Amino acid sequence: MTHKIGLVGLGAIAGKSHLPAIAGNAAFELVAIASLQGAMDGVPLYRDHMAMLAAHPEIAAVVVCTPPRARLEIAADALAAGRHVMLEKPPAATPGGLDFLAGVAGRHGLVLHTAWHSQYNAAVDRARDMLAGKVLARLHIDWKEDVHKYHPGQEWIWNAGGFGVFDAGINGLSILTRVLARPLFALGAELHVPADAAVPVAAQIRFSDGSDAVMTGDFDWGWTSGDLREIHIETAEGQKISLTASGGRLLVDGVEVLAPQRAEYREIYADFDRLLREGVSRVDGAPLALTADIFLAGQAVAAPAVRH
Amino acid sequence: MTHKIGLVGLGAIAGKSHLPAIAGNAAFELVAIASLQGAMDGVPLYRDHMAMLAAHPEIAAVVVCTPPRARLEIAADALAAGRHVMLEKPPAATPGGLDFLAGVAGRHGLVLHTAWHSQYNAAVDRARDMLAGKVLARLHIDWKEDVHKYHPGQEWIWNAGGFGVFDAGINGLSILTRVLARPLFALGAELHVPADAAVPVAAQIRFSDGSDAVMTGDFDWGWTSGDLREIHIETAEGQKISLTASGGRLLVDGVEVLAPQRAEYREIYADFDRLLREGVSRVDGAPLALTADIFLAGQAVAAPAVRH
């Protein structure tokens, strides 16, 4: 028996990642799409998620791939209509919004799945195992890429609730919170907010886990020298553990120990299938909570305009 | 048997509120103070909380009244030294910091008390009881006062992690989260950040509890027409419940039903005595989480300089 899916938001991430993963997993069947853009041959298209849900009572689960700000209302509507929900990352615009959705899912006995795709890497799991119980000496995360390469012409990324550089950088934070498996918080941050944007294009961050470890981050969406998405950790015992290639590759003391072929969305849907069969939610609010920490502890500094 | 207390941070709030409350409660004995300013006749003074703790092993509990950014380190040190902790509001600079402290207290079997003073009003409790299970139509919170009246010459309020207008406004949010007793989140906000500050001097906020209720907030630290600290709620049934005078006064349909003499800090210490005797923590992260939500969902807009 397959899980019948309705997908909301047929943008870049849906086309590139969700549709292939759904097509490649026999446990799922895509029965309808709600989107203001795009279309898919042979799949009924609706302009509105409510119209889609009304026309397709057979939809058991809704996958939400819209920009972050729209997710809460869509997810709440879907849950209220008795459908399970998977959310692209970040699962909501704020931690409070995610808490609300988790409460709704719990009250309705429905599955909510926060799909932090960067966590779905074998190298991340291995690093987590290696770091379990370890005291750290230092940690640095670089998350740098060219926004114009990945979000050409998109406006929502620069608006309040659009996250700015943290739209990408929250992937790095999702790896960080996963591998450390302990509460992280922000000590301070410089948030470089462009003159024509509500959210930062770059940020330097000081983190802590409450230990003496020195933890820093450098996030930059104006980086044009190739993607740099790396986490470097040194334990108190002197072991160096690095996750490079956006969590895809693990190096220990400079030697590569794991670099499997990337299969993030295949794993996300395999996980969602398990969660649906078991009737269990997976709600991970830690990366979003750490992002909120950074915004609250951060100091805005002026940066040049970014829109064209 | 009394609880022996060490107080850290002898500023305005300690002098005006904590010292009288401690003096008025036979369950407590102030044995030492750590502060960079001020002094109290007959009480040993230290420049540093670690020196105070080392000199006074009899101190069972530490009360932290410093500016918010310093609280985490002091509280963590005190807990690591086996002392219970009470935190002035806000209990930490970020939600992640508070989560960390709660974890430390839990692991050490120590009491952590987040003292949100505005919650300690009988009118707040009564409003909470009246609103239990009620569907709301609308809610508005005004939190307006003159920063120069309450924080003359203070610099930390304008720095990152100083909260700006939310240093005062978080009292209103602490009432809001207490009386509603349901997850609140921010839909959006305009944050008026002065040219010479890292944090807002004013904010207009749109909240939600996931219902159709219209929830708004207006926070202003440049308000010179007298303190305005009020919450007005209208239920779906048309009942109007107002908390005015910073949670001190309850009006129902415009008629005052409760306005007892204010005794916030007396109640805080009565509560702390109970918590210490029972060995139970009271950690309420909701007002701080809602503040972080507002910062993350908010849009900074330029405001004139505020420092003199």
Side-chain angles (χ1 to χ4, degrees):
Chain A
M1 190 180 133
T2 60
H3 314 292
K4 291 187 167 50
I5 283 186
L7 184 145
V8 184
L10 193 56
I13 194 69
K16 182 185 146 213
S17 301
H18 286 266
L19 294 182
I22 294 168
N25 188 327
F28 293 97
E29 180 190 347
L30 181 65
V31 299
I33 292 171
S35 184
L36 296 173
Q37 60 179 329
M40 188 179 165
D41 279 353
V43 180
L45 179 70
Y46 299 85
R47 290 282 137 195
D48 178 82
H49 64 280
M50 292 303 284
M52 178 185 80
L53 293 175
H56 296 275
E58 76 275 21
I59 289 176
V62 172
V63 174
V64 185
C65 306
T66 64
R69 283 198 79 151
R71 285 176 197 158
L72 187 134
E73 186 181 343
I74 294 164
D77 286 343
L79 292 167
R83 322 301 171 95
H84 307 291
V85 170
M86 178 203 288
L87 294 160
E88 241 308 324
K89 64 86 204 175
T94 68
L98 180 57
D99 285 350
F100 164 72
L101 289 179
V104 175
R107 283 195 296 279
H108 286 78
L110 294 165
V111 171
L112 184 65
H113 182 199
T114 56
W116 298 99
H117 63 79
S118 296
Q119 293 182 342
Y120 286 84
N121 279 286
V124 172
D125 289 336
R126 184 78 69 87
R128 178 185 170 99
D129 293 343
M130 294 186 65
L131 288 165
K134 290 278 168 58
V135 176
L136 305 188
R138 61 188 57 83
L139 178 154
H140 183 74
I141 174 171
D142 278 312
W143 218 264
K144 303 179 178 185
E145 62 181 48
D146 180 4
V147 61
H148 298 298
K149 177 177 169 190
Y150 293 101
H151 295 276
Q154 290 185 23
E155 291 293 323
W156 63 265
I157 52 173
W158 300 118
N159 297 333
F163 286 89
V165 66
F166 291 97
D167 175 73
I170 204 168
N171 293 329
L173 298 180
S174 78
I175 296 174
L176 212 52
T177 53
R178 176 88 185 139
V179 298
L180 293 192
R182 70 191 84 178
L184 283 176
F185 50 95
L187 293 173
E190 291 219 325
L191 305 172
H192 301 260
V193 180
D196 58 348
V199 285
V201 66
Q204 290 86 43
I205 306 158
R206 290 180 300 116
F207 303 100
S208 178
D209 65 349
S211 75
D212 292 330
V214 176
M215 300 186 169
T216 51
D218 200 350
F219 291 62
D220 191 349
W221 232 359
W223 183 258
T224 54
S225 309
D227 302 337
L228 187 70
R229 302 170 184 141
E230 302 187 349
I231 296 171
H232 300 281
I233 298 171
E234 187 176 336
T235 69
E237 298 154 347
Q239 191 177 48
K240 289 176 182 164
I241 294 173
S242 294
L243 285 162
T244 65
S246 201
R249 189 164 169 253
L250 174 66
L251 295 91
V252 178
D253 293 327
V255 179
E256 179 181 297
V257 296
L258 202 63
Q261 198 166 4
R262 198 176 294 273
E264 292 178 350
Y265 283 82
R266 192 176 72 201
E267 292 299 325
I268 283 175
Y269 278 88
D271 206 17
F272 195 35
D273 175 37
R274 275 191 296 272
L275 296 171
L276 290 171
R277 281 190 282 111
E278 294 170 9
V280 176
S281 286
R282 182 191 302 283
V283 178
D284 178 3
L288 187 57
L290 184 53
T291 307
D293 243 54
I294 291 166
F295 273 69
L296 184 57
Q299 168 145 10
V301 295
V306 286
R307 307 202 202 206
H308 294 297
Chain B
M1 188 181 135
T2 60
H3 314 291
K4 292 187 167 49
I5 284 187
L7 185 144
V8 184
L10 193 56
I13 194 68
K16 183 184 146 215
S17 302
H18 286 267
L19 294 182
I22 294 167
N25 188 327
F28 294 97
E29 179 190 348
L30 180 66
V31 298
I33 292 172
S35 184
L36 296 172
Q37 61 180 328
M40 188 179 166
D41 279 352
V43 181
L45 178 70
Y46 299 85
R47 291 282 139 196
D48 177 83
H49 64 280
M50 292 304 283
M52 178 185 79
L53 292 176
H56 295 275
E58 76 274 21
I59 290 176
V62 172
V63 174
V64 185
C65 307
T66 65
R69 283 199 78 151
R71 286 176 197 160
L72 187 133
E73 186 181 343
I74 295 164
D77 285 343
L79 292 167
R83 322 301 172 94
H84 308 290
V85 170
M86 178 203 288
L87 294 161
E88 242 307 324
K89 64 86 204 175
T94 67
L98 180 57
D99 286 349
F100 164 71
L101 288 179
V104 175
R107 283 194 296 281
H108 287 78
L110 294 165
V111 171
L112 183 66
H113 182 200
T114 56
W116 297 100
H117 64 79
S118 296
Q119 293 181 344
Y120 286 85
N121 280 287
V124 172
D125 289 337
R126 183 79 68 88
R128 179 186 169 99
D129 292 344
M130 293 187 64
L131 287 164
K134 290 278 167 59
V135 175
L136 307 187
R138 62 187 58 82
L139 178 155
H140 182 75
I141 174 170
D142 278 312
W143 218 265
K144 304 180 178 184
E145 62 181 48
D146 180 4
V147 61
H148 298 299
K149 177 175 170 192
Y150 293 101
H151 295 275
Q154 291 185 22
E155 290 293 323
W156 63 265
I157 52 173
W158 300 118
N159 297 333
F163 287 89
V165 67
F166 291 97
D167 175 73
I170 205 167
N171 293 331
L173 298 180
S174 78
I175 296 174
L176 211 52
T177 54
R178 176 90 185 140
V179 298
L180 292 192
R182 68 192 85 177
L184 284 176
F185 50 94
L187 293 173
E190 290 219 329
L191 305 172
H192 300 260
V193 181
D196 58 348
V199 286
V201 66
Q204 292 86 43
I205 305 158
R206 291 180 299 116
F207 303 99
S208 178
D209 64 350
S211 75
D212 293 330
V214 176
M215 300 187 168
T216 51
D218 200 351
F219 290 62
D220 192 349
W221 232 0
W223 183 259
T224 54
S225 309
D227 302 337
L228 187 69
R229 302 171 183 140
E230 303 188 348
I231 296 172
H232 301 280
I233 297 171
E234 187 177 336
T235 69
E237 297 154 347
Q239 191 176 45
K240 289 176 181 164
I241 295 174
S242 295
L243 284 162
T244 65
S246 202
R249 189 165 170 252
L250 175 67
L251 295 91
V252 178
D253 294 327
V255 179
E256 179 180 297
V257 297
L258 202 63
Q261 197 165 5
R262 197 176 295 274
E264 293 179 349
Y265 282 82
R266 193 177 71 201
E267 292 298 325
I268 283 176
Y269 278 87
D271 206 16
F272 195 35
D273 175 38
R274 275 191 296 272
L275 296 171
L276 290 171
R277 283 191 280 111
E278 294 170 9
V280 176
S281 287
R282 182 190 304 283
V283 179
D284 178 2
L288 187 56
L290 184 53
T291 306
D293 243 54
I294 291 165
F295 273 69
L296 184 57
Q299 168 147 9
V301 295
V306 287
R307 305 202 203 207
H308 294 299

